[in-house]
Protein backbone atom coordinates (compact mmCIF):
# COMPACT_ATOMS: atom_id res chain seq x y z
CA UNK A 1 0.00 0.00 0.00
CA UNK A 2 1.39 3.35 -0.93
CA UNK A 3 1.83 6.19 1.45
CA UNK A 4 -1.00 8.27 0.00
CA UNK A 5 -3.40 5.29 -0.26
CA UNK A 6 -3.11 4.83 3.46
CA UNK A 7 -4.01 8.44 4.10
CA UNK A 8 -7.51 8.17 2.76
CA UNK A 9 -8.70 4.94 4.37
CA UNK A 10 -11.68 5.10 6.76
CA UNK A 11 -12.07 8.83 6.36
CA UNK A 12 -15.44 9.83 7.82
CA UNK A 13 -18.17 10.98 5.45
CA UNK A 14 -19.56 14.49 5.67
CA UNK A 15 -22.54 13.24 7.68
CA UNK A 16 -20.25 11.35 10.06
CA UNK A 17 -18.11 14.43 10.48
CA UNK A 18 -21.17 16.49 11.42
CA UNK A 19 -22.24 13.81 13.92
CA UNK A 20 -18.74 13.84 15.42
CA UNK A 21 -18.96 17.63 15.70
CA UNK A 22 -22.07 17.24 17.82
CA UNK A 23 -20.46 14.54 19.92
CA UNK A 24 -17.31 16.61 20.44
CA UNK A 25 -19.38 19.57 21.62
CA UNK A 26 -21.26 17.28 23.99
CA UNK A 27 -17.96 15.98 25.44
CA UNK A 28 -16.77 19.51 26.18
CA UNK A 29 -20.12 20.40 27.77
CA UNK A 30 -20.05 17.20 29.86
CA UNK A 31 -16.54 18.00 31.07
CA UNK A 32 -17.28 21.68 31.70
CA UNK A 33 -17.09 22.50 35.39
CA UNK A 34 -17.94 26.18 34.98
CA UNK A 35 -14.87 28.14 33.90
CA UNK A 36 -12.66 25.13 33.33
CA UNK A 37 -12.82 21.78 31.56
CA UNK A 38 -11.77 18.54 33.21
CA UNK A 39 -9.80 16.21 30.93
CA UNK A 40 -12.14 13.37 31.88
CA UNK A 41 -14.81 13.31 34.58
CA UNK A 42 -13.78 9.93 35.94
CA UNK A 43 -10.02 9.77 35.58
CA UNK A 44 -8.87 13.40 35.80
CA UNK A 45 -11.51 15.32 37.76
CA UNK A 46 -9.69 18.68 38.13
CA UNK A 47 -8.02 21.31 35.97
CA UNK A 48 -4.91 20.05 34.13
CA UNK A 49 -2.70 22.74 32.67
CA UNK A 50 -2.04 21.83 29.02
CA UNK A 51 -5.38 20.03 28.75
CA UNK A 52 -7.14 23.28 29.61
CA UNK A 53 -5.18 25.20 27.02
CA UNK A 54 -6.07 22.68 24.30
CA UNK A 55 -9.69 22.57 25.48
CA UNK A 56 -9.88 26.31 24.85
CA UNK A 57 -9.16 25.57 21.18
CA UNK A 58 -12.37 23.53 21.12
CA UNK A 59 -14.47 26.04 23.04
CA UNK A 60 -13.58 28.75 20.56
CA UNK A 61 -15.80 27.00 18.01
CA UNK A 62 -18.80 27.26 20.32
CA UNK A 63 -18.23 30.30 22.47
CA UNK A 64 -15.07 32.42 22.32
CA UNK A 65 -15.93 34.05 25.64
CA UNK A 66 -15.87 30.60 27.28
CA UNK A 67 -12.57 29.81 25.55
CA UNK A 68 -10.92 32.91 27.04
CA UNK A 69 -12.40 32.11 30.45
CA UNK A 70 -10.65 28.72 30.32
CA UNK A 71 -7.29 30.47 29.98
CA UNK A 72 -8.16 33.03 32.65
CA UNK A 73 -8.94 30.20 35.07
CA UNK A 74 -5.65 28.53 34.17
CA UNK A 75 -3.68 31.69 34.97
CA UNK A 76 -5.66 32.33 38.15
CA UNK A 77 -3.74 29.36 39.55
CA UNK A 78 -0.37 31.00 38.84
CA UNK A 79 2.07 31.10 41.75
CA UNK A 80 3.80 34.29 42.89
CA UNK A 81 7.06 33.09 41.32
CA UNK A 82 5.37 32.78 37.91
CA UNK A 83 4.93 29.01 37.79
CA UNK A 84 1.58 27.76 36.51
CA UNK A 85 0.86 24.43 38.19
CA UNK A 86 0.07 21.21 36.36
CA UNK A 87 -3.11 20.56 38.39
CA UNK A 88 -5.45 22.96 40.17
CA UNK A 89 -7.64 21.10 42.62
CA UNK A 90 -10.81 23.02 41.84
CA UNK A 91 -14.03 21.40 42.97
CA UNK A 92 -14.44 18.22 44.90
CA UNK A 93 -13.37 14.74 43.84
CA UNK A 94 -12.98 12.46 46.83
CA UNK A 95 -10.33 9.78 46.73
CA UNK A 96 -8.04 11.31 44.09
CA UNK A 97 -4.34 10.61 44.63
CA UNK A 98 -2.10 12.52 44.91
CA UNK A 99 -4.49 15.33 45.92
CA UNK A 100 -3.87 18.72 47.54
CA UNK A 101 -3.30 17.22 51.01
CA UNK A 102 -0.39 15.20 49.61
CA UNK A 103 1.23 18.07 47.68
CA UNK A 104 0.85 20.53 50.60
CA UNK A 105 1.56 23.58 48.44
CA UNK A 106 1.06 26.89 50.24
CA UNK A 107 -1.18 28.26 47.55
CA UNK A 108 -4.75 29.15 46.86
CA UNK A 109 -6.42 27.71 44.80
CA UNK A 110 -4.85 24.44 45.95
CA UNK A 111 -2.54 22.98 43.34
CA UNK A 112 0.25 20.57 42.59
CA UNK A 113 3.79 21.94 42.93
CA UNK A 114 5.07 21.18 39.43
CA UNK A 115 4.21 22.58 36.01
CA UNK A 116 3.28 21.19 32.56
CA UNK A 117 4.08 22.06 28.91
CA UNK A 118 3.62 25.81 28.35
CA UNK A 119 1.32 25.74 25.33
CA UNK A 120 -1.10 28.40 26.64
CA UNK A 121 0.57 31.34 24.84
CA UNK A 122 0.24 29.53 21.49
CA UNK A 123 -3.45 29.04 22.21
CA UNK A 124 -3.80 32.73 23.17
CA UNK A 125 -2.42 33.66 19.76
CA UNK A 126 -4.84 31.28 18.02
CA UNK A 127 -7.75 32.86 19.93
CA UNK A 128 -6.58 36.38 19.06
CA UNK A 129 -6.69 35.41 15.40
CA UNK A 130 -10.29 34.22 15.63
CA UNK A 131 -11.79 37.68 15.41
CA UNK A 132 -11.45 41.30 16.35
CA UNK A 133 -13.92 41.71 19.20
CA UNK A 134 -12.25 44.45 21.31
CA UNK A 135 -13.51 42.99 24.62
CA UNK A 136 -12.06 39.55 23.84
CA UNK A 137 -8.81 41.09 22.68
CA UNK A 138 -8.54 43.19 25.85
CA UNK A 139 -8.88 40.02 27.95
CA UNK A 140 -6.25 38.21 25.87
CA UNK A 141 -3.98 41.22 26.14
CA UNK A 142 -4.30 41.04 29.93
CA UNK A 143 -2.97 37.47 29.83
CA UNK A 144 0.28 38.44 28.09
CA UNK A 145 1.99 39.53 31.33
CA UNK A 146 1.09 36.33 33.25
CA UNK A 147 2.19 34.18 30.29
CA UNK A 148 5.46 36.10 30.11
CA UNK A 149 6.00 35.59 33.86
CA UNK A 150 5.50 31.85 33.44
CA UNK A 151 7.95 31.68 30.53
CA UNK A 152 10.44 33.72 32.56
CA UNK A 153 10.08 31.23 35.39
CA UNK A 154 11.15 28.49 32.97
CA UNK A 155 14.10 30.57 31.77
CA UNK A 156 15.16 31.55 35.30
CA UNK A 157 14.91 28.27 37.15
CA UNK A 158 14.61 25.56 34.52
CA UNK A 159 16.96 26.50 31.73
CA UNK A 160 20.19 24.54 31.92
CA UNK A 161 22.85 27.26 31.79
CA UNK A 162 25.37 25.13 29.91
CA UNK A 163 23.14 23.87 27.11
CA UNK A 164 20.10 26.16 27.02
CA UNK A 165 17.74 23.16 27.23
CA UNK A 166 14.74 23.17 29.59
CA UNK A 167 14.98 20.66 32.39
CA UNK A 168 12.26 18.86 34.26
CA UNK A 169 12.26 17.61 37.85
CA UNK A 170 9.27 15.29 37.48
CA UNK A 171 8.08 13.17 34.53
CA UNK A 172 4.52 14.49 34.99
CA UNK A 173 5.75 17.96 34.03
CA UNK A 174 6.58 16.85 30.53
CA UNK A 175 3.02 15.66 29.87
CA UNK A 176 4.56 12.34 28.76
CA UNK A 177 4.31 10.76 32.18
CA UNK A 178 5.68 7.25 31.65
CA UNK A 179 7.76 7.73 28.52
CA UNK A 180 10.80 5.44 28.37
CA UNK A 181 12.77 8.71 28.15
CA UNK A 182 12.56 8.72 31.94
CA UNK A 183 13.32 5.04 32.65
CA UNK A 184 17.00 5.34 33.44
CA UNK A 185 17.00 8.67 35.29
CA UNK A 186 13.94 7.53 37.24
CA UNK A 187 15.58 4.25 38.26
CA UNK A 188 18.22 6.28 40.12
CA UNK A 189 15.64 8.10 42.29
CA UNK A 190 15.83 6.75 45.86
CA UNK A 191 12.57 5.41 47.30
CA UNK A 192 13.67 4.23 50.75
CA UNK A 193 11.24 5.13 53.53
CA UNK A 194 8.37 5.91 51.16
CA UNK A 195 5.12 6.06 53.16
CA UNK A 196 2.33 3.70 52.05
CA UNK A 197 -0.09 5.22 49.53
CA UNK A 198 -3.08 4.14 47.51
CA UNK A 199 -3.29 4.93 43.80
CA UNK A 200 -6.40 6.35 42.19
CA UNK A 201 -5.49 6.01 38.52
CA UNK A 202 -5.35 2.23 38.30
CA UNK A 203 -8.67 1.81 40.09
CA UNK A 204 -10.34 3.89 37.36
CA UNK A 205 -8.42 2.53 34.39
CA UNK A 206 -7.05 -0.79 33.23
CA UNK A 207 -3.85 -1.16 35.27
CA UNK A 208 -2.22 -2.86 32.27
CA UNK A 209 -2.30 0.48 30.47
CA UNK A 210 -0.91 2.53 33.35
CA UNK A 211 2.62 3.05 34.71
CA UNK A 212 3.77 0.22 36.99
CA UNK A 213 4.48 0.44 40.75
CA UNK A 214 8.23 0.81 40.20
CA UNK A 215 7.62 4.10 38.37
CA UNK A 216 4.79 5.26 40.59
CA UNK A 217 6.92 4.93 43.75
CA UNK A 218 9.43 7.25 42.15
CA UNK A 219 6.77 9.76 41.08
CA UNK A 220 5.70 9.92 44.73
CA UNK A 221 9.30 10.17 45.97
CA UNK A 222 9.88 13.18 43.66
CA UNK A 223 6.71 14.81 44.93
CA UNK A 224 7.96 14.35 48.50
CA UNK A 225 11.31 15.86 47.53
CA UNK A 226 9.55 19.02 46.34
CA UNK A 227 7.54 19.11 49.52
CA UNK A 228 10.72 18.76 51.61
CA UNK A 229 12.11 21.77 49.70
CA UNK A 230 8.91 23.64 50.63
CA UNK A 231 8.28 24.00 46.90
CA UNK A 232 11.10 26.48 46.47
CA UNK A 233 11.72 26.17 42.72
CA UNK A 234 15.46 27.05 42.61
CA UNK A 235 16.19 24.62 45.46
CA UNK A 236 14.26 21.84 43.75
CA UNK A 237 15.96 22.45 40.39
CA UNK A 238 19.37 22.31 42.09
CA UNK A 239 18.83 19.31 44.35
CA UNK A 240 16.29 17.08 42.63
CA UNK A 241 17.35 13.45 42.19
CA UNK A 242 15.69 13.70 38.76
CA UNK A 243 17.05 16.39 36.43
CA UNK A 244 16.40 15.67 32.79
CA UNK A 245 16.59 18.02 29.79
CA UNK A 246 13.40 17.43 27.81
CA UNK A 247 13.05 17.87 24.06
CA UNK A 248 9.28 18.40 24.35
CA UNK A 249 9.38 21.12 27.01
CA UNK A 250 12.21 22.94 25.23
CA UNK A 251 10.45 22.82 21.86
CA UNK A 252 7.02 23.80 23.17
CA UNK A 253 8.47 26.68 25.19
CA UNK A 254 10.44 27.91 22.17
CA UNK A 255 7.29 27.91 20.04
CA UNK A 256 5.11 29.45 22.77
CA UNK A 257 7.75 32.15 23.26
CA UNK A 258 7.65 32.99 19.57
CA UNK A 259 3.84 32.91 19.56
CA UNK A 260 3.78 35.23 22.57
CA UNK A 261 6.08 37.61 20.68
CA UNK A 262 3.68 37.53 17.71
CA UNK A 263 0.79 38.19 20.05
CA UNK A 264 2.67 41.06 21.71
CA UNK A 265 3.27 42.55 18.23
CA UNK A 266 -0.41 42.26 17.41
CA UNK A 267 -1.36 43.77 20.79
CA UNK A 268 0.98 46.69 20.19
CA UNK A 269 3.52 45.76 22.86
CA UNK A 270 6.74 45.98 20.80
CA UNK A 271 9.14 46.07 23.75
CA UNK A 272 7.83 42.77 25.08
CA UNK A 273 7.92 41.26 21.59
CA UNK A 274 11.54 42.31 21.11
CA UNK A 275 12.58 40.92 24.47
CA UNK A 276 10.86 37.60 23.79
CA UNK A 277 12.55 37.22 20.41
CA UNK A 278 15.87 37.91 22.10
CA UNK A 279 15.45 34.78 24.23
CA UNK A 280 14.86 32.46 21.31
CA UNK A 281 18.48 31.72 20.28
CA UNK A 282 19.25 30.19 23.70
CA UNK A 283 16.23 27.89 23.44
CA UNK A 284 17.22 26.89 19.92
CA UNK A 285 20.72 26.18 21.20
CA UNK A 286 19.07 24.04 23.89
CA UNK A 287 17.28 21.98 21.26
CA UNK A 288 20.45 21.53 19.26
CA UNK A 289 22.23 20.26 22.41
CA UNK A 290 19.74 17.37 22.53
CA UNK A 291 20.55 16.12 19.02
CA UNK A 292 21.91 12.57 19.22
CA UNK A 293 24.04 11.90 16.17
CA UNK A 294 24.06 8.11 16.70
CA UNK A 295 20.30 7.76 16.42
CA UNK A 296 19.90 10.86 14.23
CA UNK A 297 17.16 12.32 16.42
CA UNK A 298 16.52 14.71 19.30
CA UNK A 299 16.54 12.76 22.57
CA UNK A 300 16.12 13.56 26.28
CA UNK A 301 19.34 13.93 28.28
CA UNK A 302 19.89 13.04 31.92
CA UNK A 303 21.69 16.10 33.30
CA UNK A 304 23.00 14.17 36.29
CA UNK A 305 24.94 11.71 34.13
CA UNK A 306 25.10 13.50 30.77
CA UNK A 307 23.56 10.39 29.17
CA UNK A 308 21.24 10.77 26.15
CA UNK A 309 18.17 8.50 26.23
CA UNK A 310 18.93 7.40 22.67
CA UNK A 311 15.19 6.85 22.16
CA UNK A 312 13.05 8.07 19.30
CA UNK A 313 9.78 9.19 20.88
CA UNK A 314 7.01 11.44 19.62
CA UNK A 315 8.82 14.32 21.38
CA UNK A 316 11.78 13.79 19.06
CA UNK A 317 9.67 15.42 16.33
CA UNK A 318 8.53 18.44 18.35
CA UNK A 319 11.59 20.54 17.42
CA UNK A 320 9.94 20.78 13.98
CA UNK A 321 7.16 22.65 15.78
CA UNK A 322 9.44 24.62 18.07
CA UNK A 323 12.04 26.01 15.69
CA UNK A 324 13.16 26.44 12.09
CA UNK A 325 15.47 23.49 11.65
CA UNK A 326 18.18 23.14 9.01
CA UNK A 327 17.76 20.45 6.31
CA UNK A 328 20.36 18.18 7.96
CA UNK A 329 18.08 17.92 11.00
CA UNK A 330 14.77 17.69 9.12
CA UNK A 331 15.82 14.92 6.70
CA UNK A 332 16.68 12.29 9.37
CA UNK A 333 13.45 13.05 11.27
CA UNK A 334 11.45 12.57 8.09
CA UNK A 335 13.30 9.30 7.53
CA UNK A 336 12.33 8.07 11.01
CA UNK A 337 8.72 8.95 10.40
CA UNK A 338 8.63 7.22 7.03
CA UNK A 339 10.06 4.11 8.68
CA UNK A 340 7.32 4.28 11.32
CA UNK A 341 4.69 4.38 8.57
CA UNK A 342 5.77 0.87 7.65
CA UNK A 343 5.56 -0.36 11.28
CA UNK A 344 2.39 1.27 12.57
CA UNK A 345 -0.97 1.72 10.95
CA UNK A 346 -1.51 5.11 12.59
CA UNK A 347 0.97 7.90 13.18
CA UNK A 348 2.46 9.12 15.45
CA UNK A 349 3.36 6.41 17.99
CA UNK A 350 4.64 7.95 21.22
CA UNK A 351 7.53 5.49 21.08
CA UNK A 352 9.31 4.12 18.03
CA UNK A 353 7.64 0.76 17.24
CA UNK A 354 11.15 -0.63 16.69
CA UNK A 355 12.09 0.22 20.28
CA UNK A 356 12.30 -2.84 22.50
CA UNK A 357 10.02 -1.15 25.07
CA UNK A 358 7.24 -0.33 22.62
CA UNK A 359 3.78 -1.16 24.04
CA UNK A 360 0.84 -0.11 21.86
CA UNK A 361 -1.62 0.53 24.71
CA UNK A 362 0.49 1.75 27.62
CA UNK A 363 0.20 5.52 27.73
CA UNK A 364 3.38 7.18 26.48
CA UNK A 365 5.14 3.96 25.57
CA UNK A 366 3.41 3.56 22.20
CA UNK A 367 -0.11 5.07 21.89
CA UNK A 368 -0.92 7.97 19.59
CA UNK A 369 -1.91 11.27 21.23
CA UNK A 370 -3.95 13.75 19.20
CA UNK A 371 -2.35 16.84 20.75
CA UNK A 372 1.14 15.72 19.80
CA UNK A 373 -0.07 14.98 16.28
CA UNK A 374 -1.42 18.51 15.97
CA UNK A 375 1.91 20.06 16.94
CA UNK A 376 4.04 17.72 14.85
CA UNK A 377 1.77 18.24 11.82
CA UNK A 378 2.21 21.97 12.29
CA UNK A 379 5.97 21.47 12.43
CA UNK A 380 5.98 19.35 9.27
CA UNK A 381 3.97 22.01 7.41
CA UNK A 382 6.47 24.65 8.51
CA UNK A 383 9.26 22.51 7.09
CA UNK A 384 7.60 21.86 3.72
CA UNK A 385 6.57 18.28 4.40
CA UNK A 386 2.89 18.54 3.45
CA UNK A 387 2.45 14.82 2.72
CA UNK A 388 3.47 13.74 6.20
CA UNK A 389 1.50 16.60 7.77
CA UNK A 390 -1.57 15.43 5.84
CA UNK A 391 -0.92 11.89 6.94
CA UNK A 392 -0.94 12.92 10.61
CA UNK A 393 -4.16 14.84 10.07
CA UNK A 394 -5.83 11.92 8.25
CA UNK A 395 -4.70 9.37 10.82
CA UNK A 396 -5.91 11.41 13.78
CA UNK A 397 -9.25 11.90 12.04
CA UNK A 398 -9.55 8.21 11.28
CA UNK A 399 -8.68 7.25 14.86
CA UNK A 400 -11.42 9.42 16.33
CA UNK A 401 -13.95 8.50 13.63
CA UNK A 402 -13.20 4.82 14.18
CA UNK A 403 -12.97 4.63 17.97
CA UNK A 404 -14.33 7.83 19.56
CA UNK A 405 -12.97 10.52 21.83
CA UNK A 406 -10.38 8.50 23.72
CA UNK A 407 -7.44 9.80 25.63
CA UNK A 408 -5.03 8.04 23.25
CA UNK A 409 -5.07 5.26 20.64
CA UNK A 410 -3.18 2.14 19.66
CA UNK A 411 -0.99 2.92 16.65
CA UNK A 412 -1.42 -0.69 15.53
CA UNK A 413 -5.19 -1.20 15.44
CA UNK A 414 -6.61 2.20 16.42
CA UNK A 415 -8.34 1.02 19.59
CA UNK A 416 -8.84 3.61 22.31
CA UNK A 417 -6.76 3.60 25.49
CA UNK A 418 -6.86 5.51 28.80
CA UNK A 419 -10.04 7.44 29.55
CA UNK A 420 -12.88 8.07 27.12
CA UNK A 421 -15.08 11.15 26.72
CA UNK A 422 -11.79 13.03 26.69
CA UNK A 423 -11.68 16.82 26.59
CA UNK A 424 -8.64 17.60 24.48
CA UNK A 425 -9.46 14.91 21.93
CA UNK A 426 -12.92 16.47 21.46
CA UNK A 427 -11.41 19.97 21.30
CA UNK A 428 -8.94 18.94 18.64
CA UNK A 429 -11.69 17.39 16.60
CA UNK A 430 -13.51 20.71 16.50
CA UNK A 431 -10.42 22.80 15.91
CA UNK A 432 -8.33 20.71 13.59
CA UNK A 433 -10.03 17.62 12.27
CA UNK A 434 -13.71 18.23 11.57
CA UNK A 435 -14.87 19.12 8.06
CA UNK A 436 -15.96 22.41 9.58
CA UNK A 437 -12.55 23.14 11.15
CA UNK A 438 -11.49 24.76 7.86
CA UNK A 439 -8.97 27.50 8.10
CA UNK A 440 -8.87 27.65 11.88
CA UNK A 441 -6.15 25.07 12.31
CA UNK A 442 -3.29 25.92 14.59
CA UNK A 443 -0.79 25.46 11.77
CA UNK A 444 -2.34 28.43 10.06
CA UNK A 445 -1.69 30.56 13.13
CA UNK A 446 1.66 31.60 11.71
CA UNK A 447 1.90 35.25 10.97
C1 LIG B 1 -1.98 12.09 31.80
C2 LIG B 1 -1.13 12.60 30.64
C3 LIG B 1 -0.93 14.11 30.76
C4 LIG B 1 -2.29 14.80 30.84
C5 LIG B 1 -3.14 14.19 31.96
C6 LIG B 1 -4.56 14.72 31.95
O1 LIG B 1 -1.36 12.27 33.02
O2 LIG B 1 0.09 11.93 30.62
O3 LIG B 1 -0.20 14.59 29.67
O4 LIG B 1 -2.15 16.16 31.04
O5 LIG B 1 -3.21 12.79 31.82
O6 LIG B 1 -5.14 14.46 30.72
Amino acid sequence: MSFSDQCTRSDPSEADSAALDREARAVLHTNDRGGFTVPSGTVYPFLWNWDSAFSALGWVHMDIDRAVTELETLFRGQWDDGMVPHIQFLGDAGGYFPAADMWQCPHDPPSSGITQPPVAASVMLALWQQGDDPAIRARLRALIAPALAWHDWFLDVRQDAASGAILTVHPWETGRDNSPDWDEPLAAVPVEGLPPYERYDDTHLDAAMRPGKHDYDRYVALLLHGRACQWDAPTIARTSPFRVADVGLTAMLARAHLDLARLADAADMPDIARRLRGDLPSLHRGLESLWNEDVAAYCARDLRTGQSSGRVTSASFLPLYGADLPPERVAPLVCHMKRMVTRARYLLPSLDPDDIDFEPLRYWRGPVWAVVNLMVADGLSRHDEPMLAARLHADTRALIAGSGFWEAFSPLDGSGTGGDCFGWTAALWLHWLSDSAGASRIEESRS
Side-chain angles (χ1 to χ4, degrees):
M1 193 184 281
S2 83
F3 191 62
S4 51
D5 287 340
Q6 290 187 32
C7 291
T8 51
R9 76 204 181 292
S10 68
D11 196 46
S13 68
E14 234 172 78
D16 290 344
S17 177
L20 284 162
D21 287 0
R22 285 193 292 279
E23 226 182 288
R25 290 197 190 98
V27 169
L28 287 180
H29 280 299
T30 303
N31 293 4
D32 185 9
R33 294 293 178 274
F36 71 100
T37 314
V38 295
S40 139
T42 45
V43 194
Y44 305 106
F46 303 107
L47 179 153
W48 260 258
N49 185 324
W50 71 328
D51 295 70
S52 254
F54 283 118
S55 291
L57 284 181
W59 280 112
V60 83
H61 300 281
M62 293 186 273
D63 178 357
I64 187 149
D65 179 83
R66 176 64 186 78
V68 180
T69 302
E70 185 85 32
L71 296 174
E72 288 169 340
T73 309
L74 172 64
F75 281 108
R76 209 164 299 129
Q78 184 164 37
W79 287 20
D80 291 345
D81 65 0
M83 198 268 281
V84 182
H86 104 289
I87 303 176
Q88 290 180 45
F89 297 102
L90 304 174
D92 188 30
Y96 186 83
F97 179 87
D101 58 340
M102 181 73 180
W103 291 92
Q104 295 180 13
C105 296
H107 196 272
D108 187 42
S111 71
S112 67
I114 57 174
T115 193
Q116 250 194 339
V119 295
S122 300
V123 173
M124 283 158 54
L125 176 64
L127 263 52
W128 180 279
Q129 291 167 337
Q130 288 296 314
D132 57 4
D133 178 340
I136 293 291
R137 289 200 158 175
R139 287 166 65 195
L140 289 169
R141 198 174 193 277
L143 294 178
I144 292 177
L148 179 62
W150 184 23
H151 290 199
D152 279 347
W153 175 86
F154 271 109
L155 297 176
D156 290 347
V157 299
R158 292 301 190 76
Q159 189 170 32
D160 175 44
S163 66
I166 298 297
L167 70 96
T168 178
V169 296
H170 198 300
W172 291 344
E173 286 193 318
T174 67
R176 298 181 299 119
D177 304 14
N178 66 331
S179 168
D181 273 346
W182 325 128
D183 284 3
E184 284 188 31
L186 207 53
V189 172
V191 290
E192 290 79 47
L194 207 62
Y197 64 91
E198 216 165 290
R199 287 172 69 168
Y200 171 91
D201 60 319
D202 59 1
T203 56
H204 285 72
L205 286 173
D206 182 350
M209 298 178 183
R210 293 291 302 170
K213 176 171 164 48
H214 175 273
D215 285 358
Y216 220 89
D217 278 355
R218 283 155 183 83
Y219 301 152
V220 173
L222 290 173
L223 184 164
L224 292 175
H225 177 78
R227 207 168 91 174
C229 297
Q230 296 176 334
W231 299 111
D232 180 64
T235 309
I236 298 170
R238 215 179 40 249
T239 62
S240 177
F242 182 88
R243 296 176 77 251
V244 183
D246 178 28
V247 179
L249 280 174
T250 311
M252 286 183 271
L253 180 63
R255 174 58 181 267
H257 224 57
L258 176 61
D259 287 342
L260 195 56
R262 290 168 169 156
L263 180 60
D265 278 335
D268 203 16
M269 300 165 113
D271 293 347
I272 292 186
R274 204 170 311 116
R275 216 230 69 193
L276 283 158
R277 286 199 169 84
D279 296 330
L280 289 175
S282 75
L283 288 167
H284 296 158
R285 193 165 48 82
L287 281 176
E288 182 56 23
S289 77
L290 299 176
W291 182 257
N292 179 324
E293 194 56 46
D294 296 336
V295 294
Y298 295 95
C299 304
R301 185 180 300 282
D302 185 343
L303 292 176
R304 293 168 63 90
T305 62
Q307 194 69 35
S308 170
S309 76
R311 311 257 197 181
V312 180
T313 70
S314 49
S316 301
F317 301 92
L318 284 172
L320 292 162
Y321 168 77
D324 288 330
L325 304 181
E328 66 272 21
R329 294 288 176 259
V330 178
L333 294 178
V334 165
C335 245
H336 279 302
M337 205 177 284
K338 287 187 171 162
R339 178 175 49 78
M340 286 184 186
V341 167
T342 67
R343 303 281 195 280
R345 188 153 174 226
Y346 300 94
L347 292 180
L348 176 66
S350 44
L351 179 64
D352 188 340
D354 286 331
D355 191 297
I356 189 171
D357 289 316
F358 174 77
E359 291 181 76
L361 289 177
R362 201 187 287 274
Y363 265 57
W364 294 92
R365 302 177 85 88
V368 177
W369 295 73
V371 291
V372 178
N373 279 9
L374 170 76
M375 292 185 282
V376 174
D378 171 300
L380 287 162
S381 298
R382 281 160 66 104
H383 288 86
D384 296 320
E385 288 292 340
M387 285 289 288
L388 279 172
R391 170 70 196 250
L392 281 174
H393 183 265
D395 282 4
T396 319
R397 227 172 110 89
L399 284 167
I400 294 174
S403 296
F405 295 98
W406 285 90
E407 183 171 6
F409 303 87
S410 161
L412 302 187
D413 65 11
S415 52
T417 176
D420 65 354
C421 196
F422 220 82
W424 66 14
T425 312
L428 260 59
W429 176 268
L430 293 172
H431 190 69
W432 184 44
L433 303 164
S434 149
D435 284 349
S436 60
S440 61
R441 296 171 189 164
I442 203 172
E443 70 249 51
E444 274 123 38
S445 69
R446 304 161 66 182
S447 62

